[in-house]
């Protein structure tokens, strides 16, 4: 089983989760993080570290956010691995809990 980063990470991108990951399975995009399902060992350490509650076990992804399983799997190979904590996006606090952020997801690793 893998864990999945879901919608609430979009435009927040806290990286507390990255710091505790023992297998470096997080990948960084311009305004979102994803978990590589091929690397995740289901240790659960990242779940408690996410300050916006955006990480779930694949079997517990909230209803309506199941498509994030495919998004994480799609984007992980395209984005670079992130192994150290970085500052969250400048206005992360304002985006926490905002619904319907999928349309804001920047898929290009270069921000385009």
């Amino acid at each position: 089983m893998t864990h999945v980063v879901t919608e609430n990470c979009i435009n927040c991108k806290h990286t507390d989760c990255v710091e505790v990951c023992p297998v470096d399975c997080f990948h960084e995009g311009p305004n979102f993080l994803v978990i590589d399902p091929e690397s995740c060992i289901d240790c659960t350490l990242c779940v408690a570290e996410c300050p916006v509650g955006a990480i779930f076990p694949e079997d517990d992804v909230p209803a309506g956010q199941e498509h994030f399983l495919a998004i994480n799997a799609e984007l992980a190979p395209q984005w670079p691995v992130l192994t150290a904590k970085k500052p969250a996006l400048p206005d992360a606090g304002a985006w926490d809990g905002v619904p319907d952020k999928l349309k804001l997801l920047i898929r290009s690793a270069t921000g385009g």
Side-chain angles (χ1 to χ4, degrees), residues 1-106:
M1 186 163 71
T2 187
H3 280 71
V4 180
V5 181
T6 59
E7 184 173 54
N8 207 35
C9 182
I10 297 171
N11 282 352
C12 289
K13 201 170 86 168
H14 293 277
T15 58
D16 307 64
C17 52
V18 172
E19 200 167 50
V20 299
C21 182
V23 294
D24 299 334
C25 68
F26 283 89
H27 294 252
E28 180 186 22
N31 69 339
F32 188 58
L33 299 175
V34 295
I35 293 174
D36 182 350
E38 299 297 319
S39 300
C40 181
I41 59 169
D42 194 30
C43 71
T44 74
L45 294 173
C46 59
V47 176
E49 293 302 315
C50 180
V52 296
I55 303 173
F56 296 89
E58 67 180 322
D59 292 340
D60 292 331
V61 172
Q65 294 200 39
E66 298 88 350
H67 52 282
F68 279 93
L69 285 157
I71 291 170
N72 278 243
E74 171 197 340
L75 297 176
Q78 298 175 31
W79 289 352
V81 173
L82 182 63
T83 59
K85 185 176 177 177
K86 297 168 72 170
L89 293 176
D91 55 353
W95 286 103
D96 182 13
V98 172
D100 302 318
K101 294 193 287 183
L102 181 57
K103 63 185 172 277
L104 304 173
L105 175 61
I106 301 170

